Amino acid sequence: MEITFKDLGLEQVILQAIEAKGFEEPTPIQILAIPRLLSGDANVIAKARTGTGKTAAFGLPLLQELRSDTGTVRALILTPTRELAVQVVTEIESFRIEKYPRIAVVYGGVPIGQQLRNLKAGVEIVVGTPG
């Protein structure tokens, strides 16, 4: 029996985003991580090769759980490089159909003004890199 994204506990709006993106079946990392994250287990450490769907594995549960306007940061995603931070934001936003959660990227090496304005406007997810 094939496991589907619906079997993982994702709601209809998230399933629509997955379908629109062209994903047909979850990867092993998604099968393991998504149900745990949806059940409230915030302490998941997962390792998988590049291209296996890690960003969707944690991003889809975040999109589902943080779909209201809180105006406060509810999730922080740390990446080792600014390039990966931008990539993570782009990928998570590609699954977002609704207005919330709002996502901001924060990293060094560029003027901080726009990043601060984005944060002050209210975001639920921040993706960044230390430094």
Side-chain angles (χ1 to χ4, degrees):
M1 181 176 143
E2 242 179 55
I3 296 176
T4 67
F5 282 103
K6 187 175 183 177
D7 296 329
L8 301 180
L10 294 166
E11 295 174 358
Q12 190 60 40
V13 68
I14 303 299
L15 295 172
Q16 290 171 348
I18 291 168
E19 184 177 329
K21 186 128 173 160
F23 286 21
E24 296 179 6
E25 58 187 55
T27 65
I29 192 72
Q30 293 164 350
I31 292 168
L32 293 170
I34 290 172
R36 288 186 67 186
L37 292 167
L38 289 175
S39 73
D41 189 350
N43 298 310
V44 175
I45 298 173
K47 182 178 178 181
R49 291 189 346 253
T50 299
T52 57
K54 292 183 297 296
T55 302
F58 65 81
L60 293 172
L62 284 174
L63 289 174
Q64 179 165 306
E65 297 300 313
L66 304 179
R67 289 189 352 228
S68 62
D69 177 10
T70 63
T72 60
V73 176
R74 305 267 318 277
L76 174 63
I77 301 167
L78 294 176
T79 64
T81 66
R82 74 175 83 171
E83 292 80 9
L84 186 55
V86 171
Q87 180 183 330
V88 166
V89 167
T90 302
E91 184 66 14
I92 292 175
E93 284 181 337
S94 76
F95 285 107
R96 192 181 68 193
I97 298 177
E98 300 175 317
K99 184 176 179 179
Y100 302 102
R102 294 163 296 181
I103 306 168
V105 63
V106 178
Y107 54 84
V110 296
I112 196 165
Q114 184 59 50
Q115 295 179 61
L116 288 174
R117 283 189 289 283
N118 292 342
L119 292 173
K120 287 180 183 177
V123 297
E124 287 72 38
I125 301 172
V126 173
V127 181
T129 186

